[in-house]
């Protein structure tokens, strides 16, 4: 739906996060990092952002950050791993957690079935870093792009309730 939210596609409340338009880097929101088994892995010590991007399939982040997350997950080849032995990834946005289960972050069509990818360092003028949360995230969480109020909303998608 253009210009609003359609309650047929999400459950619960929509949580909104400010989009700092002065950074002019697209639909970015504050991003704390990924919590795995009680430990928060962050791209930098401060000024981390996430882009909620429907044009990206995977979750992309800075090399060092994603390497730490992948190491914390455990096995290097997720294709043959018992899903019950893998951790839930809790994406921390504005202090709220958005969990992805192993079934949601494992992607059979790529090497090692890992849907988290290392990429070049996405930092802008060395002031902040950006992690891209692509379709793997958006399939689980309904996104509302609210241009009029410079904010982005997230709610649990009915597809994964």
């Amino acid at each position: 739906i253009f210009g609003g939210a359609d309650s047929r596609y999400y459950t619960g409340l929509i949580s909104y996060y400010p989009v700092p338009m002065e950074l002019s880097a697209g639909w970015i929101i504050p991003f704390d990092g990924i919590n795995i088994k009680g430990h928060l892995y962050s791209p930098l010590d401060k000024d981390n952002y996430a882009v909620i991007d429907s044009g990206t399939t995977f979750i992309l982040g800075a090399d060092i950050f994603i390497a730490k997350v992948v190491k914390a997950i455990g096995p290097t080849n997720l294709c043959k791993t018992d899903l019950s032995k893998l951790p839930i990834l809790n994406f921390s946005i504005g202090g709220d957690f958005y969990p992805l289960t192993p079934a949601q972050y494992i992607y059979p069509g790529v090497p090692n079935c890992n849907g988290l990818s290392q990429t070049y360092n996405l930092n802008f003028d060395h002031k902040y870093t950006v992690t891209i949360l692509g379709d793997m995230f958006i399939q689980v969480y309904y996104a509302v792009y609210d241009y009029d109020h410079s904010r982005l909303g997230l709610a649990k998608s009915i597809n994964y309730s």
Side-chain angles (χ1 to χ4, degrees), residues 22-73:
E22 69 275 6
L23 297 180
S24 67
W27 288 97
I28 66 173
I29 55 177
F31 176 61
D32 307 313
I34 300 174
N35 188 302
I36 303 172
K37 299 179 187 173
H39 186 274
L40 183 66
Y41 296 88
S42 296
L44 291 175
D45 291 335
K46 61 177 185 161
D47 298 325
N48 299 307
Y49 294 93
V51 174
I52 310 299
D53 183 23
S54 63
T56 302
T57 302
F58 304 114
I59 294 166
L60 306 175
D63 295 347
I64 295 170
F65 169 56
I66 296 297
K68 288 178 185 177
V69 171
V70 168
K71 184 176 180 180
I73 290 171

Side-chain angles (χ1 to χ4, degrees), residues 5-6 9 13 17 23 50 72 96-97 99 104 116-117 122:
D6 189 335
Y9 298 108
L13 299 175
Y17 305 96
L23 297 180
D96 299 325
F97 287 119
Q104 294 164 336
L116 292 102
S117 297
L122 295 171

Side-chain angles (χ1 to χ4, degrees), residues 68 78 89 103 116 154:
K68 288 178 185 177
L78 301 178
L89 304 183
L116 292 102
L154 294 171

